[in-house]
Amino acid sequence: MADYADITYAVAERIATVTLNRPEARNGYTIRMADELGDAMDRADRDEEVRVVVLTGAGRDFSVGADLSQGGFDFDPESGPDAAWQEPAGRCSKRIFTMHKPVIAALRGAAVGGGITITLSCDYRLAAEDARFGFVFTRRGIYPEGASAWFLPRLVGMGTALDWMISGRLVDAAEALSAGLVHRLYPADTVLEEAYALAREIIATTAPVSVAVTRQLLYRMASAPSPFPVHELDSRLIGGLGKSSDAVEGVVSFLQKRPPEFTMRVDRDLPDYLPWLHDSI
């Protein structure tokens, strides 16, 4: 998709900015937006000039969740979905889950329903001090989506996830920070610039291949039944460092007290034995 209708996409300073762009509808989430977000994340992940993605929303809100006024779900309500259909919030959250690049969500105003579940697989959620969050599904007679029942307990613990999802109540920024849903709070007019500052720090100081492997190690191996398979994989990774130019550069630049210049690329230098490279998603 070269042109988007419900989002915008721009790259500068090796940062891809993906913006939900329906401010007149408070960035209500649509089927088209889901498809466009998937395409934009694919685009950023394939582009070796992009090191970090910043996900944000135009206007005063990040997103108030599903906008069913735009036609509802993309299946016939009489016959239901076919076997291949996937709900639209999960289309985005799963694609972010599989990214090789870090994704930073910059949240202000309301982030409710699908407007928060699509961000749960982001690496960082930075929020405005007046932001509000809600997993409001039970108050609408519907069900949690975006694979949020998997992501949310891993972020805030099962007890808090049960409270927020069963009650469907709104959560203010201070509670979200205390529970671990968001990483840091900022004044509303600075949260996006703080996301860019974090992105620039990651770009300047970290190796892209190391970041890609580390991000997926945490997600894919955290639910292993014991530490043994994790140690088997990281032993193989550490054992291969003798052939890693980035590992040499990381040590030398540290000793020389200068910024590193990492040259390995995600599109050609990921270890081919990483188990998730062969997964179907």
Side-chain angles (χ1 to χ4, degrees):
M1 297 180 183
D3 299 311
Y4 299 117
D6 285 1
I7 70 169
T8 62
Y9 181 92
V11 178
E13 299 182 89
R14 307 198 72 184
I15 304 167
T17 301
V18 180
T19 305
L20 311 187
N21 193 36
R22 301 184 68 235
E24 74 289 348
R26 301 178 71 190
N27 295 322
Y29 195 75
T30 66
I31 300 296
R32 174 179 284 173
M33 184 180 285
D35 294 340
E36 292 181 350
L37 283 170
D39 186 84
M41 294 301 168
D42 284 344
R43 187 173 171 181
D45 219 16
R46 290 193 305 265
D47 186 351
E48 284 297 307
E49 288 305 306
V50 170
R51 284 289 320 278
V52 180
V53 178
V54 170
L55 175 62
T56 190
R60 69 182 187 274
D61 294 299
F62 179 72
S63 173
V64 294
D67 185 351
L68 298 182
S69 70
Q70 297 299 301
F73 296 117
D74 51 349
F75 59 79
D76 183 341
E78 296 300 321
S79 60
D82 62 29
W85 186 82
Q86 296 187 334
E87 60 82 15
R91 299 176 197 176
C92 181
S93 65
K94 288 202 307 178
R95 184 60 189 91
I96 294 173
F97 174 89
T98 61
M99 292 284 286
H100 292 113
K101 318 287 176 73
V103 182
I104 303 169
L107 309 172
R108 56 183 297 176
V112 176
I116 183 62
T117 63
I118 65 171
T119 76
L120 296 182
S121 53
C122 294
D123 301 86
Y124 295 91
R125 281 162 301 282
L126 309 184
E129 293 167 341
D130 61 354
R132 304 175 310 285
F133 309 93
F135 300 86
V136 297
F137 310 105
T138 58
R139 297 193 178 199
R140 306 290 182 268
I142 58 177
Y143 310 107
E145 31 75 305
S148 54
W150 189 90
F151 286 111
L152 187 62
R154 285 165 168 77
L155 295 172
V156 303
M158 184 60 78
T160 298
L162 284 164
D163 172 21
W164 290 357
M165 282 194 162
I166 289 176
S167 72
R169 65 183 176 85
L170 288 179
V171 175
D172 64 23
E175 183 178 358
L177 177 67
S178 176
L181 178 64
V182 301
H183 293 78
R184 292 186 274 283
L185 300 180
Y186 299 101
D189 59 353
T190 68
V191 66
L192 182 56
E193 183 47 47
E194 294 291 349
Y196 287 136
L198 174 58
R200 287 190 289 267
E201 178 184 358
I202 292 170
I203 292 166
T205 61
T206 68
V209 171
S210 180
V211 167
V213 173
T214 299
R215 184 183 195 279
Q216 290 297 315
L217 270 175
L218 287 165
Y219 262 140
R220 306 283 186 154
M221 305 303 284
S223 6
S226 79
F228 298 104
V230 186
H231 187 236
E232 181 178 342
L233 179 56
D234 61 41
S235 294
R236 193 168 182 184
L237 287 164
I238 298 302
L241 289 181
K243 299 179 181 178
S244 169
S245 59
D246 277 359
V248 173
E249 171 62 11
V251 173
V252 171
S253 63
F254 174 76
L255 294 174
Q256 295 178 349
K257 296 181 170 53
R258 60 170 175 80
E261 297 180 9
F262 298 115
T263 57
M264 292 173 63
R265 294 165 56 105
V266 171
D267 63 351
R268 69 182 183 212
D269 295 319
L270 287 175
D272 61 7
Y273 53 79
L274 295 171
W276 52 85
L277 296 181
H278 311 287
D279 288 350
S280 59
I281 60 168

